[in-house]
Amino acid sequence: MGAVPPRIAVVGAGPAGAFAAASVWRMRPDAQVDFFERLPTAWGLLRAGVAPDHQEIKRLDDTFDRETLRRGCRFFGNVEVGVDVSHADLMRHYTAVIYATGAQTDKSIGIPGEDLPGSWAATEFVAWYNGHPDYRGLEFDLSGRRAVVIGNGNVAADVTRILMRSPEELERTDVADHALEALRESRIEEVVVLGRRGPAQAAFTSAELRELGYIDGVDVQVDSAEAELDKVSHEWLAEEGTFTARRNVALVREYASGTGAGTGADAVSGAAQRRIVLRFLRSPAAIRGTGRVEAVDIRRNELVRTDDGALRARPAGDEVETIECGLVLRSVGYQAVPLPDVPFDERSYVLPNDRGRVLLPDGEPLAGVYAVGWIKRGPTGILGTNKRDAAETVRCLVDDLAAGRLPEPASVDGDGGIEAVLADRKPDLVTAEGWHAIDVLERERGSRDGRPRAKLTSREELLDAARAATVAG
Amino acid sequence: MTYVITGSCIKDDSCIEVCPVDCIHPKPGAPDFETAEQLYIDPEVCIDCDACVHACPVDAIYAEFEVPEKFGYTVEVNAEFFAEKSTAERTAV
Ligand SMILES: Cc1cc2nc3c(=O)[nH]c(=O)nc-3n(C[C@H](O)[C@H](O)[C@H](O)COP(=O)(O)OP(=O)(O)OC[C@H]3O[C@@H](n4cnc5c(N)ncnc54)[C@H](O)[C@@H]3O)c2cc1C
Ligand SMILES: NC(=O)c1ccc[n+]([C@@H]2O[C@H](COP(=O)([O-])OP(=O)(O)OC[C@H]3O[C@@H](n4cnc5c(N)ncnc54)[C@H](OP(=O)(O)O)[C@@H]3O)[C@@H](O)[C@H]2O)c1
Ligand code: SF4
Ligand code: SF4
């Protein structure tokens, strides 16, 4: 071990960054860990992604806070790496830099009309209803009767649920105020969810698929022909199907026969005013409209087994079906963006890495640079996945430290360290104290209305709240 | 009686680390671990010691009789998971 405690910069204070910081603390309690986060708030998609009606999950923020900020990790919020401070600045002041920047944008589908007004990435809708300050100004037109959601992942399930929940259900959550107001006025009665493959291949967890059936006053409908598995899927399910795939297939059958989870009573009494229609083996061919979205053209697919054993969707026939709608949410996955001065894999949209050690184009590790979370693996995996992933990255880092592979940073404390750089460039720096003040204020504002939290959603409000704490303290 | 894990599980393994009888599955490294959407408790083996409840960061674990109504179905799902493959089979070397 070196005489000087190692200094570790974690870029991005999302779940992966938080698990990595906690992991460093466990394996090298002598290290100083600092978060650099472009938002004034902490915890990434736990705050800005996880659905507001899933408050249980948001409780993970207490664990993150306890295992990082309360143990002396510093928080440098409202600081964007690559803009406010460079990779070189970090390398000058830190022994190692862990990139945990996630996947900041959406994957495109590549069909005509994708960019028509009224066609949005689910990424944008999610960030908007969760009060991400960069998205609060978006205006979703919810005046049409029907919306189409493209994709069969949990994000598709999340956005479908939020579109269908009643204002009474939403107002008990921490959904952003601007979204609550807009959703109150929503006239959407039907959400059509398009899966390009069948029920056995849907990426929903069975918990999310089932939850669709438990929304007050909403019926889930599936055409019985589409609920039936084709021969290839039958074989796949029997031979290598997962526990979740078997649950999903059973749930889809229940929905098709009208005996679906939770929906029974509504369906029988005819109380359901609104509905979710799950379509399978259907791909969007084009999004159409004059000046804005008016319809989606879809085509039927069939499943084929490719040489590598995967089941892929292939167009079957030329028939086009048109679904009229006023809103399209494309939920086909997130995508990472490159960071200045750090290698990027343009094909897989990740930092090229070996177990978390970032690699140069020649395949050699870039000493002292690591990746964790979605920027390391791509945009899949639930929260806990990032914990094991962080342990893997941090183990590499700790090994490199022990083996003397990481030179000490050039900067010495005499020049004021990174604090001096930040004081000079970021008068609006948000520290842990500032973030805690935001957190307390939001919880207080929420408790007045029986909500878990009422979010501040503009940078100005957030910075004001943080500044008040620093001045008062 | 038994304890059960609900759909809010984020699969962070904290409960596995504290369970004295090793009845929470699948465990990291098991063939079905990566594809599992959550972890499950084997009702045949659980001794109702409550340790996992305190370890869980998202309060996803409940005693069987305290499972909130909206998660009621999970009692059956936890049991089914082990009906397909028991803890004994899962821990056999
Ligand atoms: C809509 C949605 C809902 C989800 N719901 C669940 C759920 O219910 N349960 C579950 O287990 N999992 C859920 N997940 C998955 C979970 O959120 C992810 O696994 C996890 O957030 C990935 O963590 P990350 O830290 O890699 O990325 P992120 O959470 O995206 O964190 C990245 C952080 O880096 C910051 N950043 C980016 N660029 C820079 C920069 N240049 N400088 C400084 N900071 C930067 C960002 O602001 C952000 O805070 C959900 C995901 C989504 C998209
Ligand atoms: N409650 C939760 O636990 C929760 C909530 C939200 C998110 N998450 C997690 O966060 C991660 C990201 O979720 P996600 O929903 O964005 O991604 P995802 O799970 O990867 O799902 C993406 C979906 O888009 C479909 N798709 C991709 N390209 C398409 C195209 N060109 N045309 C039509 N469909 C296309 C995929 O179909 P194919 O399968 O055919 O490719 C798949 O159904 C996942 O790991 C998810 O589990 C978890
Ligand atoms: S209650 Fe005790 S025995 Fe049962 S799963 Fe939890 S930790 Fe294991
Ligand atoms: S501790 Fe809770 S969230 Fe973590 S794996 Fe166990 S049940 Fe799931």
Side-chain angles (χ1 to χ4, degrees), chain A residues 65-408:
Chain A
D65 189 54
R66 195 175 60 242
E67 296 194 351
T68 64
L69 302 180
R70 304 283 174 192
R71 276 180 182 162
C73 292
R74 293 186 295 184
F75 183 74
F76 298 137
N78 197 32
V79 180
E80 182 163 357
V81 172
V83 175
D84 301 312
V85 300
S86 67
H87 177 69
D89 291 327
L90 294 181
M91 292 311 285
R92 197 173 128 73
H93 292 277
Y94 290 91
T95 327
V97 179
I98 305 178
Y99 281 96
T101 47
Q104 298 294 306
T105 185
D106 61 290
K107 191 183 114 178
S108 72
I109 310 182
I111 54 170
E114 205 168 345
D115 297 324
L116 270 180
S119 161
W120 299 88
T123 320
E124 297 169 300
F125 187 62
V126 165
W128 172 76
Y129 67 60
N130 271 320
H132 188 303
D134 296 354
Y135 295 82
R136 84 175 221 143
L138 302 187
E139 286 181 23
F140 293 87
D141 182 350
L142 308 174
S143 63
R145 296 286 161 91
R146 187 183 292 121
V148 171
V149 172
I150 303 170
N152 264 186
N154 278 341
V155 174
D158 278 355
V159 299
T160 299
R161 239 179 29 253
I162 297 300
L163 282 175
M164 284 285 96
R165 281 227 189 265
S166 64
E168 294 69 40
E169 290 173 298
L170 287 174
E171 67 193 10
R172 294 195 294 266
T173 73
D174 68 353
V175 69
D177 290 342
H178 55 249
L180 182 58
E181 290 322 307
L183 287 161
R184 267 188 213 289
E185 304 300 318
S186 167
R187 296 179 60 201
I188 297 174
E189 292 169 355
E190 179 173 304
V191 180
V192 178
V193 184
L194 299 179
R196 66 172 163 186
R197 299 193 286 161
Q201 293 81 30
F204 305 125
T205 51
S206 63
E208 288 246 354
L209 182 57
R210 189 185 295 263
E211 202 179 354
L212 294 179
Y214 279 89
I215 308 172
D216 281 349
V218 178
D219 219 359
V220 182
Q221 300 177 353
V222 184
D223 182 278
S224 47
E226 288 177 38
E228 277 321 306
L229 298 189
D230 55 304
K231 189 163 161 287
V232 192
S233 295
H234 255 300
E235 285 167 15
W236 176 84
L237 199 64
E239 285 160 22
E240 48 190 313
T242 61
F243 186 67
T244 289
R246 287 191 285 279
R247 298 271 98 46
N248 282 353
V249 167
L251 279 167
V252 167
R253 283 205 185 112
E254 285 173 26
Y255 288 139
S257 65
T259 57
T263 56
D266 286 337
V268 171
S269 67
Q273 297 296 314
R274 290 168 298 136
R275 66 211 150 265
I276 296 168
V277 182
L278 305 178
R279 301 292 306 267
F280 294 99
L281 289 168
R282 295 295 186 282
S283 276
I287 300 172
R288 288 193 295 110
T290 318
R292 56 161 297 105
V293 168
E294 288 166 6
V296 180
D297 286 341
I298 65 170
R299 277 175 200 277
R300 204 167 63 78
N301 294 327
E302 61 189 1
L303 289 177
V304 286
R305 207 183 258 277
T306 55
D307 294 342
D308 59 359
L311 295 184
R312 288 199 198 290
R314 180 174 76 186
D318 300 326
E319 212 175 303
V320 173
E321 179 186 341
T322 298
I323 305 177
E324 285 176 20
C325 63
L327 175 76
V328 174
L329 297 177
R330 307 177 317 263
S331 183
V332 299
Y334 282 58
Q335 195 170 83
V337 292
L339 292 148
D341 310 317
V342 190
F344 192 71
D345 181 336
E346 299 280 353
R347 297 221 328 266
S348 326
Y349 294 93
V350 292
L351 299 188
N353 73 89
D354 176 19
R355 287 166 291 158
R357 287 187 181 97
V358 172
L359 303 176
L360 291 162
D362 66 5
E364 285 300 307
L366 177 57
V369 185
Y370 302 85
V372 71
W374 279 14
I375 191 71
K376 169 186 175 187
R377 313 188 306 272
T380 59
I382 59 174
L383 290 157
T385 316
N386 303 296
K387 183 179 177 185
R388 289 173 292 278
D389 185 37
E392 179 184 67
T393 294
V394 172
R395 209 168 295 120
C396 291
L397 189 159
V398 168
D399 285 352
D400 290 346
L401 269 175
R405 284 190 284 265
L406 305 183
E408 280 188 14

Side-chain angles (χ1 to χ4, degrees), chain B residues 9-57:
Chain B
C9 171
I10 58 158
K11 248 174 95 183
D12 81 327
D13 315 340
S14 298
C15 52
I16 293 185
E17 286 164 27
V18 299
C19 177
V21 293
D22 218 5
C23 68
I24 306 178
H25 292 277
K27 288 167 70 168
D32 52 353
F33 179 78
E34 286 307 327
T35 60
E37 68 181 73
Q38 63 163 88
L39 303 187
Y40 306 91
I41 292 175
D42 188 343
E44 299 290 321
V45 184
C46 170
I47 56 165
D48 308 331
C49 75
D50 208 42
C52 53
V53 172
H54 298 283
C56 180

